[in-house]
Amino acid sequence: MTAPAPLHYLPAAAAAPAPIEIVLGVYLRTLREAHGRSLADVALCAQVSVSAISRLERAENSVSPHTLESLLHYYGVPGREIEYLQARLPRAKPGTRHVTTRSSRARKPSDPSGLFRHGRWDKWVDVTGVTAVARYAAVARAASETVYYTLFRIPPGYRTPAYREVINAPESCPHPDEPAEMPSWLEHVRHSRPPRRVLLLDETVLRRPVAGPKVMAGQLRHLLDLMDGRGGPGPVSIRVLAGDRASDAIQFAGGEVGAFTVHGNHLIAGMHTAPWYETGSPHALALHDALHRAVEEAASEQDSYALIRQAADHWSARAAT
């Protein structure tokens, strides 16, 4: 087993772009590279500077509705999706200039006592169907650091083909967390090398025979391979968390929630009926801290390896009977 670099805690006073700005940054960069366009090509189309495009793709600047329309139209994105994304960009009051969540929050910090209080741009639910799910996968792939907790299913990026086929089948999962057919642009997501990944498996995941004992045994052995550094974009730490160790904040998030670092921006994300993203709010900060505390509460990597291997042996024995 190869231990990844230590994870970082999010400072309580940290400000962040709006979640849609972070997600759009990943989306715009991936679309550009999928189309084989340079920053200069895209800047000429949008009539902005090369540095402005670069900063948009890293979520360092807000994107105006007009620029977003120009870019997405250039990449061939359908008009209905363009209108949806435009309508959800952070806006200033009428008659004032467009301001980022970062600069706005710097002037008016959230009340830290209001745990579930969200600013208008703190949370975004992406309801554009297959494209939304693809963007969710893109964010996970682009993240330089991930702590992901799951109560129900092995998440994308850690699945065997057999497990993926069953877990996303319409009859068993009405709201899949990855597209049945990946759009071609998703293959161009630039991975962070090497990413620092921690997967927190609730112990019940090991006992749930998704697709039957044979598939489950193969899936768990695949996790052991990943822990040994075989397969995947880099080493991963997989830890087993006892059910009573998951905090109320994590469980309230619905059983699947991750803390992602994308271009230095901290983003909380999860998947229910559609992908959701959150930054900046006291709730997001609480989830981020709860996930990192759960890493400390989980079984050690060595003990987790033994628990996963024991579960794999159990399902192999069941498959043989």
Side-chain angles (χ1 to χ4, degrees):
M1 292 177 289
T2 305
L7 297 160
H8 302 294
Y9 282 85
L10 180 63
I20 190 173
E21 295 173 327
I22 299 173
V23 178
L24 283 178
V26 174
Y27 187 43
L28 291 171
R29 177 176 180 171
T30 305
L31 287 175
R32 177 176 60 79
E33 296 185 345
H35 283 77
R37 304 303 184 190
S38 68
L39 287 169
D41 293 334
V42 176
L44 182 63
C45 164
Q47 298 183 340
V48 296
S49 68
V50 170
S51 63
I53 295 296
S54 179
R55 291 175 69 84
L56 290 180
E57 293 181 353
R58 298 195 304 269
E60 294 177 357
N61 276 357
S62 293
V63 57
S64 71
H66 174 74
T67 299
L68 181 63
E69 180 180 16
S70 297
L71 293 174
L72 294 182
H73 180 75
Y74 181 64
Y75 298 137
V77 174
R80 178 175 296 182
E81 181 185 341
I82 295 175
E83 293 174 1
Y84 169 80
L85 294 174
Q86 281 182 303
R88 280 146 187 86
L89 290 175
R91 309 285 182 96
K93 295 180 180 179
T96 64
R97 69 178 182 87
H98 183 77
V99 295
T100 64
T101 301
R102 181 187 289 109
S103 60
S104 176
R105 190 170 299 284
R107 290 193 297 270
K108 295 183 178 180
S110 298
D111 177 3
S113 64
L115 180 60
F116 297 106
R117 182 179 301 165
H118 302 94
R120 186 174 181 183
W121 314 116
D122 285 338
K123 188 168 184 177
W124 176 49
V125 181
D126 191 354
V127 294
T128 53
V130 172
T131 305
V133 177
R135 275 194 287 265
Y136 183 71
V139 168
R141 294 185 185 188
S144 60
E145 187 174 286
T146 301
V147 180
Y148 197 91
Y149 168 81
T150 179
L151 174 63
F152 303 111
R153 56 191 175 185
I154 306 297
Y158 302 91
R159 295 170 177 166
T160 63
Y163 186 95
R164 182 187 306 117
E165 180 180 358
V166 173
I167 202 68
N168 284 327
E171 59 271 19
S172 60
C173 182
H175 305 292
D177 56 357
E178 60 181 337
E181 294 185 10
M182 295 290 184
S184 59
W185 61 262
L186 189 56
E187 299 174 1
H188 294 265
V189 176
R190 189 182 300 181
H191 294 270
S192 173
R193 299 285 185 176
R196 290 169 290 184
R197 299 179 297 161
V198 176
L199 173 60
L200 286 168
L201 293 178
D202 190 277
E203 60 184 351
T204 59
V205 176
L206 306 182
R207 300 196 296 264
R208 185 172 289 113
V210 174
K214 182 178 180 180
V215 170
M216 194 62 194
Q219 173 61 64
L220 294 178
R221 296 198 189 284
H222 176 63
L223 296 183
L224 296 176
D225 286 343
L226 293 176
M227 295 177 76
D228 286 332
R230 299 192 295 270
V236 58
S237 173
I238 302 178
R239 310 281 291 276
V240 177
L241 185 68
D244 60 355
R245 293 292 187 176
S247 71
D248 291 341
I250 294 176
Q251 293 181 352
F252 183 81
E256 288 189 28
V257 61
F260 301 95
T261 302
V262 183
H263 297 306
N265 296 305
H266 299 284
L267 179 69
I268 297 295
M271 179 75 191
H272 297 314
T273 58
W276 60 268
Y277 308 91
E278 189 168 345
T279 58
S281 70
H283 183 231
L285 297 176
L287 278 173
H288 186 283
D289 288 345
L291 284 166
H292 284 74
R293 284 196 301 271
V295 175
E296 299 173 354
E297 294 283 342
S300 69
E301 195 164 356
Q302 182 176 358
D303 289 344
S304 296
Y305 191 94
L307 289 170
I308 296 170
R309 184 173 58 188
Q310 180 181 5
D313 291 344
H314 166 76
W315 292 119
S316 292
R318 289 283 301 272
T321 60

